[in-house]
Amino acid sequence: MILPEFELLRPSSIDEALAQLRAHKGDVRVVAGGTDLLPSMKQGLFSPRYVLSLRGLNELRGVKGDGLGGWRIAAATTLRAIIGNEELAQALPALIDACRQVGTPLVQARATLGGNLLLDTRCLFYNQTAHWRASLGGCLKKEGDICHVAPGSPICLAAFSSDTAPVLLALSALVEIADAGGRRLIPLSALYAPGDGARWLNLARDALLVAIHIPPQPAARRVTYLKGRLRRAIDFPLVAVAASVEPSPDGPTRAWIHLTAVDTAPISADVSQALIHGCNETALAAAAALAIKGARPLGTHAVSVGYRLRLTEVLCRRALALAF
Amino acid sequence: MSGQGPIGGALPRHDGIPRLTGAARFTADLKRPGALVGKLKRSEHPHARIRAVHTHKARSMPGVHAVLTGDDLPQAYGILPASQDEHALAVDKVRFVGDPIAAVAAVDEAAALAALAAITVEYEVLPPVLDIPTALKDEVLIHEGRKSNVLREVAQDYGDVDRAFGEADLVLERVYYYGPSTHVPLEPHAALAEWGDDHRLHLRSSTQVPHYLHRILAQVLGVPMADIRVEKPYVGAAYGGKSEVFSLEICAAALARAAGRPVAMQYNREEVFYAHRGRHGVMLKLKSAHKSDGTLTGLELNAFLNTGAYASFGVVTTWYIGAFGALPYRLPNYRWRAANLYTNAPPAGPKRGHGALQPRFAIEAHLDEAAERLKLCPIEMRLKQLVEPGEAVHGGLEVTSSALRGCIEAVAEASGWRSRRRALPPGRGLGFACSTYMSGAAHAIYKTDAPHSTVAVSLGEDGRCTVRCGTAEIGQGSTTILAAVVAEVLGLDVETITVIEGDTDLTPVDLGAYSSRVTFMCGNAAKDAAEAIRARLEACRSPSSPLALTDAIVIAAAIEAGGPLTAEGSYTPPRRGGTFGGQAAGPSPAYSFTAQVAEVTVDRETGEVTVERVWAAHDCGRALNRTGVLGQIEGCVYMGHGEALLEAMPTRKHSGLLMNPSILEYRIPTILDTPTIEAQVVESDDPGGPFGAKEAGEGPQLPTVPAIFNAVADAVGERFCRVPLTPDELLRRLSGRRDDVNWPDIPRPEADERIRRRAALLARRRARNQGDEA
């Protein structure tokens, strides 16, 4: 398969990039590592007139600690660079776990953290070649007007399948957005728009995600990451689970679970209530039940919806138990 | 054997360096000046009549040099003479999503794709036939010239199965389903066609069967074979997926003829899935009779196969399903029925362990369950009924050598079977299975008494030895074997040997790299040729001479005495099997044997099965290249493990659209998923094999799937009958739900009377022989 023709834009500063995004709004795609965009372009899912490369923007790469426990990871930093950062590995092992489970080592060498947070939503009926989609007759997200997963659905149910988003949500990460109005920091959770797999991001087409900020973590917080999948590499998650637990000597333990791959956007749940009497099998099961309330995974050609829900429930319990 | 030659050693690959450095050129790497890019327009419907194909617009597009449709290539073909049911481009009908309809050649891929998009097809959409039960109804016929959707139905009876059931201590009946899977070779199919000024076609292709391709190109293009040269460049694996003729080979040749320029074509990964020719989905019903000591006294095997849209090797597959049912066990009473059905799916074909894997899975799982019911050790039960060397089973399959007993003992010992089984922690289990496979089919795919393999060896004054053979090195190591066999006979260093293979202008005929025949048949032919040269050298050297046999002085003397030192050797398999229809499938000059133990861990909460370790012992006769044999065993276990747990070809309900035509969604195991494989060779010495060798490339895949399933049964106490086993199905069963395979209960045909008569004759002969021995 070959890429459709496009003009490559190579800005040398963020301001220039933003100006180009504004100039070509609607007909431009941003490429960093390209591991998500380029296969989709080859399949004819996107054929923008312009592709804007972030390659020349050095300020979009690098990991910096603030010395106080906080971190700033520039958006186009590769997953491999993050995995190889020893200080980060010491401080935030769950983030490294998640990065290491993206695709394969080859993918990690190119893919970027920002790209993983902005991953296109995926569906068995959408991520296919042009010939295949033509045989299908298109779908809600592309070329058609029906959702093949749920034919009655008025909205697209394609799943947001980022490995790193659940962990970064558990770490209370913020994202730094640049646009014509300047820079601003918003909570990562605000980047996502739940509901529609065709419109899952709150990011204007003329804005750039420039960095991920991870604030200093509460001393007692422990974050764990587990990924459900059929193979131990390559596969996107059937479910991705991050659990964060903050035991407190004087009050109740606080606990959250963040999920991806089971909805069009991440799902987060405060499960502290279920763990008020400590961590035992019953409490874990109650917490998991809370966490998966909003989950609506799709059946795949390999496993059913029921299986994905059950797997989600099991991994929620296990991730929580590991974090305790 | 000199004992000092390469045979029996751990040999480096003869073609290893160019493969490692990247110097090796595969078909798609080859560039010809002025070459055009060819592409195929494919069907979007599983079943439709073609009312019209409009190519006018495409023909007038810039950069487009040729456009072809089914009308341009009306000659039907098929790999077997008995089933010539396909066309390079669809004529009248399309029969699966992906069936090629038109071909274009253009200056580059973008122009070719644009031309494809400009071709419009008017269809009359027909109801698709997507599964075996629907195909059996014959309400919709996929090939309308035929009476039914049955490609081939076979019925054979040996002995008296009903009596065995009546006298049995245990009768066990179960239905199994083995789902389809495909080969996923690293290199997609590719072809480069060029017509010379002499009007000869030079077709380079990624193929396992240059000779069959040569014949069929001549048939379809209407060109004498002498005017076609088929050349096989380096091939990046095949596993059976390139053992017949593909649309792109014919279309590249026809487009190049129409355009007057070379045409290069390559399937993309999605197209490789449509080309398919992979493992047939098979429904199997087994009913077995056992004595309380575990003796298997009777077996009834009923099978329905899904061959997809076209026959491919499907007639042979139908026979293999039953022919390989009995071996490696003594089975006095055996009745089998198999019907292979057309459906609107990508065509199935031969995949590593062709036609033998599905029944072997079912039978080995079935025997494991019988052993459990009878409270016997599955290994001890099998040891009591192995076919021994010198015996023949149904269909005239003769066992010339077997080290299966040794293989079984080897894996039992290595895995700690006797002490560890039933002593493992919960969720962990051990499973056993064993198997047999052929070392080359005793019959070619077309009727011929010609040798199956010919090898030419020449030894020059400079001491360089050239070995030429029409077979296909596809990564399996045949070049290394050819070099080693000749080096062994002549006492040469393998480095002084050049192997030229797979080029119909340069190499004598060999039938190709399929049915695990190359080491056995080409090896024998190479040995034959080398021995002729050896005899000439020996005649020029006195027995007491201190000179090496291939010393320059001896070579010069031999050439002066008798002309150039060249010789052709050949191999023709001995006549095996019966004389009645279908007996061409199954007989082989020798059979390999394998035993395996798998150890699994089952996560009862997630349904995940982890295959921790597989112990595999294989009897390949004498291991000519130990490294190669161990590599083949590992590759087989790897592939079997993938089929057992991951690989599947689901299609969309009602439309037959293959849901996962990509290597992201068609899951072959990664190295992280792959179990630790402890492979070992247990040698026998086959009287017919070159230096005693038999096959190693396919047989070791047979026991892997049932060994894993038996280990899962040991781990969780539930038996699973559907391949692949998904975590989803496992969890459903553990929570008490069953989803058994529904058996289409239709009457099956009576056995061929000739088979009855022959079986009776064999029984009388056996009784007489036993009488003689007593």
Side-chain angles (χ1 to χ4, degrees):
Chain A
M1 286 190 291
I2 53 172
L3 282 170
E5 271 192 35
F6 56 83
E7 193 176 316
L8 187 66
L9 304 174
R10 292 197 279 188
S12 52
S13 71
I14 288 181
D15 285 341
E16 188 188 350
L18 291 173
Q20 288 172 334
L21 287 179
R22 273 195 303 278
H24 305 301
K25 194 173 174 181
D27 211 6
V28 54
R29 287 268 162 183
V30 176
V31 64
T35 56
D36 190 34
L37 183 69
L38 297 186
S40 294
M41 283 181 66
K42 286 185 175 183
Q43 294 182 326
L45 291 172
F46 311 113
S47 37
R49 186 151 165 224
Y50 300 96
V51 171
L52 185 146
S53 167
L54 302 180
R55 179 67 59 87
L57 305 182
N58 286 336
E59 62 172 305
L60 285 184
R61 284 191 293 275
V63 178
K64 274 203 192 87
D66 64 4
L68 303 165
W71 296 87
R72 181 184 186 275
I73 303 175
T77 308
T78 64
L79 299 178
R80 183 158 78 178
I82 293 169
I83 292 165
N85 186 310
E86 283 175 24
E87 284 174 68
L88 200 61
Q90 284 268 304
L92 306 169
L95 178 62
I96 306 301
D97 273 356
C99 291
R100 288 179 82 102
Q101 297 196 48
V102 173
T104 64
L106 287 172
V107 170
Q108 292 155 18
R110 291 203 75 95
T112 65
L113 187 61
N116 195 251
L117 291 178
L118 299 176
L119 215 55
D120 190 12
T121 55
R122 301 186 61 84
C123 172
L124 214 51
F125 295 95
Y126 167 72
N127 297 97
Q128 299 276 6
T129 65
H131 168 263
W132 196 97
R133 297 195 312 274
S135 301
L136 180 75
C139 74
L140 258 189
K141 186 160 166 154
K142 180 88 186 169
E143 298 150 347
D145 53 10
I146 185 168
C147 172
H148 296 277
V149 174
S153 174
I155 52 158
C156 167
L157 298 175
F160 178 65
S161 301
S162 164
D163 280 288
T164 58
V167 168
L168 288 168
L169 287 165
L171 296 170
S172 317
L174 305 158
V175 286
E176 183 181 337
I177 309 288
D179 58 19
R183 305 276 179 108
R184 63 207 152 83
L185 275 178
I186 60 167
L188 173 60
S189 57
L191 184 62
Y192 301 109
D196 188 343
R199 276 174 292 274
W200 72 106
L201 283 178
N202 287 322
L203 185 69
R205 298 301 290 272
D206 57 358
L208 268 183
L209 167 62
V210 294
I212 295 93
H213 294 252
I214 301 163
Q217 300 293 302
R221 179 188 278 177
R222 281 192 300 271
V223 176
T224 53
Y225 177 70
L226 291 177
K227 177 173 183 172
R229 54 176 161 179
L230 295 175
R231 285 186 295 191
R232 292 177 186 178
I234 300 177
D235 291 358
F236 283 94
L238 288 168
V239 59
V241 183
S244 94
V245 173
E246 286 174 44
S248 152
D250 358 286
T253 296
R254 303 298 315 272
W256 292 264
I257 286 178
H258 308 272
L259 305 173
T260 57
V262 290
D263 198 2
T264 57
I267 297 176
S268 297
D270 180 343
V271 297
S272 312
Q273 187 63 28
L275 297 159
I276 210 152
H277 301 298
C279 174
N280 56 48
E281 285 300 317
T282 321
L284 288 172
L290 278 179
I292 67 168
K293 243 183 189 165
R296 43 172 190 176
L298 313 177
T300 76
H301 58 79
V303 295
S304 63
V305 173
Y307 176 77
R308 281 183 92 166
L309 275 173
R310 194 158 163 191
L311 181 67
T312 305
E313 195 269 341
V314 171
L315 295 190
C316 285
R317 281 191 277 123
R318 288 183 182 177
L320 270 179
L322 281 172
F324 260 95
Chain B
M1 278 168 71
S2 65
Q4 290 159 6
I7 287 298
L11 309 179
R13 286 191 70 103
H14 204 62
D15 57 353
I17 300 295
R19 281 181 187 268
L20 279 175
T21 59
R25 288 285 172 265
F26 297 82
T27 303
D29 295 327
L30 303 174
K31 304 281 179 258
R32 297 297 299 155
L36 302 170
V37 174
K39 284 276 165 195
L40 296 174
K41 172 95 176 171
R42 292 176 178 275
S43 170
E44 292 168 5
H45 298 285
H47 197 196
R49 204 174 306 287
I50 298 174
R51 289 215 184 279
V53 183
H54 300 290
T55 59
H56 183 74
K57 198 172 155 204
R59 284 176 203 279
S60 61
M61 287 172 74
V64 175
H65 284 252
V67 179
L68 300 175
T69 67
D71 293 341
D72 300 301
L73 290 163
Q75 177 66 48
Y77 64 94
I79 187 69
L80 301 182
S83 51
Q84 306 268 304
D85 64 358
E86 51 184 317
H87 290 86
L89 297 169
V91 172
D92 299 334
K93 264 175 101 170
V94 286
R95 296 182 175 87
F96 68 99
V97 175
D99 211 355
I101 297 169
V104 301
V107 288
D108 57 24
E109 188 169 348
L113 292 174
L116 288 189
I119 295 173
T120 52
V121 184
E122 284 179 40
Y123 296 104
E124 176 194 343
V125 176
L126 301 169
V129 176
L130 299 175
D131 54 30
I132 289 167
T134 314
L136 282 169
K137 286 183 193 153
D138 281 335
E139 285 165 3
V140 176
L141 291 182
I142 292 166
H143 291 271
E144 285 159 7
R146 304 180 69 93
K147 289 195 297 285
S148 81
N149 287 322
V150 176
L151 163 64
R152 183 55 58 100
E153 181 148 38
V154 180
Q156 290 196 339
D157 289 359
Y158 300 97
D160 187 343
V161 181
D162 292 318
R163 192 166 148 200
F165 290 142
E167 293 172 354
D169 296 316
L170 170 70
V171 174
L172 184 62
E173 188 171 326
R174 209 176 251 296
V175 177
Y176 300 85
Y177 178 67
Y178 198 110
S181 62
T182 198
H183 320 79
V184 198
L186 204 57
E187 180 206 18
H189 305 68
L192 171 62
E194 184 172 7
W195 294 79
D197 295 336
D198 53 0
H199 304 294
R200 291 187 80 223
L201 168 65
H202 185 176
L203 184 87
R204 298 172 176 93
S205 179
S206 174
T207 182
Q208 296 175 251
V209 285
H211 176 62
Y212 293 153
L213 175 56
H214 194 193
R215 288 172 59 90
I216 291 177
L217 280 173
Q219 174 192 342
V220 177
L221 298 171
V223 172
M225 279 176 76
D227 288 346
I228 298 173
R229 174 184 184 185
V230 172
E231 181 189 350
K232 176 210 66 71
Y234 279 88
V235 169
Y239 312 112
K242 297 173 182 170
S243 52
E244 57 194 283
V245 177
F246 290 87
S247 179
L248 88 167
E249 293 165 322
I250 296 168
C251 288
L255 286 168
R257 183 160 62 179
R261 281 165 71 165
V263 171
M265 294 183 75
Q266 189 182 4
Y267 285 166
N268 63 32
R269 187 55 70 178
E270 182 186 14
E271 291 179 294
V272 176
F273 279 91
Y274 297 147
H276 187 39
R277 319 287 158 152
R279 187 133 11 252
H280 286 69
V282 180
M283 306 177 74
L284 285 138
K285 185 160 81 170
L286 294 184
K287 186 176 175 186
S288 57
H290 307 264
K291 289 296 189 187
S292 60
D293 67 353
T295 314
L296 176 67
T297 52
L299 180 69
E300 182 178 58
L301 179 153
N302 250 298
F304 293 109
L305 296 76
N306 181 343
T307 208
Y310 299 101
S312 175
F313 281 85
V315 172
V316 173
T317 320
T318 318
W319 283 97
Y320 281 172
I321 289 290
F324 286 120
L327 268 179
Y329 307 114
R330 289 196 181 117
L331 182 55
N333 306 295
Y334 181 35
R335 173 160 72 204
W336 69 274
R337 304 286 181 266
N340 199 354
L341 293 134
Y342 285 112
T343 62
N344 293 117
K351 183 181 171 191
R352 202 179 204 170
H354 179 198
L357 222 88
Q358 301 97 328
R360 189 47 43 203
F361 154 70
I363 291 169
E364 294 299 309
H366 204 76
L367 289 178
D368 201 68
E369 182 171 4
E372 184 186 288
R373 298 267 187 104
L374 294 165
K375 299 189 168 44
L376 298 169
C377 165
I379 286 187
E380 304 303 334
M381 187 181 96
R382 284 172 172 92
L383 282 171
K384 275 190 258 177
Q385 40 209 330
L386 301 181
V387 169
E388 298 293 344
E391 293 181 34
V393 299
H394 318 299
L397 278 57
E398 293 173 32
V399 173
T400 49
S401 62
S402 168
L404 180 54
R405 208 166 280 280
C407 290
I408 293 174
E409 288 301 341
V411 293
E413 175 73 28
S415 64
W417 174 270
R418 292 183 175 95
S419 58
R420 293 177 65 232
R421 186 167 175 266
R422 298 288 146 91
L424 294 167
R428 213 163 234 256
L430 284 175
F432 171 83
C434 58
S435 66
T436 190
Y437 201 66
M438 62 184 158
S439 303
H443 302 270
I445 58 158
Y446 60 95
K447 206 169 159 42
T448 177
D449 289 326
H452 285 205
S453 188
T454 304
V455 172
V457 176
S458 60
L459 184 58
E461 281 178 340
D462 56 0
R464 172 117 312 240
C465 178
T466 305
V467 179
R468 294 181 294 120
C469 179
T471 197
E473 167 70 73
I474 53 173
Q476 86 279 40
S478 61
T479 302
T480 311
I481 291 294
L482 285 172
V485 165
V486 172
E488 181 79 20
V489 173
L490 295 176
L492 287 168
D493 183 342
V494 287
E495 297 297 321
T496 66
I497 293 178
T498 300
V499 178
I500 298 171
E501 42 88 42
D503 185 328
T504 61
D505 266 13
L506 303 180
T507 57
V509 171
D510 175 81
L511 297 181
Y514 69 99
S515 83
S516 276
R517 54 179 296 287
V518 177
T519 292
F520 200 94
M521 298 196 187
C522 303
N524 270 321
K527 188 160 171 277
D528 189 26
E531 280 168 351
I533 290 187
R534 184 184 172 95
R536 286 193 49 202
L537 292 168
E538 279 174 342
C540 292
R541 185 186 68 158
S542 76
S544 58
S545 166
L547 293 174
L549 190 65
T550 51
D551 189 285
I553 296 171
V554 182
I555 293 174
I559 292 172
E560 281 167 20
L565 268 176
T566 65
E568 289 206 343
S570 68
Y571 179 78
T572 307
R575 285 205 165 276
R576 289 276 159 80
T579 52
F580 44 88
Q583 292 299 298
S588 169
Y591 296 91
S592 74
F593 296 88
T594 315
Q596 290 178 14
V597 169
E599 181 166 354
V600 304
T601 306
V602 178
D603 184 325
R604 295 184 70 105
E605 278 198 318
T606 64
E608 185 185 7
V609 175
T610 304
V611 183
E612 306 284 351
R613 198 172 287 262
V614 173
W615 294 268
H618 182 65
D619 161 21
C620 63
R622 299 294 284 273
L624 303 191
N625 172 11
R626 194 161 284 270
T627 309
V629 173
L630 293 174
Q632 287 286 3
I633 298 172
E634 289 177 4
C636 281
V637 171
Y638 164 84
M639 220 157 173
H641 161 246
E643 287 188 31
L645 299 175
L646 286 168
E647 297 177 42
M649 301 185 75
T651 52
R652 185 163 153 72
K653 248 188 199 164
H654 314 304
S655 79
L657 191 55
L658 183 63
M659 289 303 294
N660 56 348
S662 71
I663 46 175
L664 176 62
E665 289 293 336
Y666 182 94
R667 294 186 175 81
I668 57 173
T670 71
I671 191 67
L672 295 179
D673 303 296
T674 305
T676 302
I677 301 165
E678 292 195 17
Q680 51 179 312
V681 179
V682 178
E683 291 190 317
S684 62
D685 188 358
D686 192 81
F691 303 105
K694 300 187 289 188
E695 77 88 36
E698 301 188 69
Q701 193 177 337
L702 269 62
T704 308
V705 179
I708 290 171
F709 272 64
N710 293 342
V712 170
D714 187 45
V716 301
E718 290 280 349
R719 291 195 176 271
F720 296 88
C721 301
R722 198 191 296 266
V723 178
L725 173 58
T726 65
D728 202 348
E729 184 187 350
L730 200 141
L731 282 194
R732 280 200 301 269
R733 177 72 65 77
L734 292 183
S735 57
R737 270 170 292 170
R738 299 192 65 89
D739 37 2
D740 291 332
V741 184
N742 285 323
W743 184 255
D745 239 333
I746 62 154
R748 307 310 305 272
E750 286 302 308
D752 188 323
E753 189 51 37
R754 288 168 299 173
I755 296 162
R756 269 183 212 282
R757 281 204 299 272
R758 182 182 157 82
L761 181 79
L762 276 176
R764 279 202 301 278
R765 211 181 276 165
R766 197 173 298 129
R768 198 173 57 227
N769 290 346
Q770 277 167 1
D772 289 350
E773 278 167 31

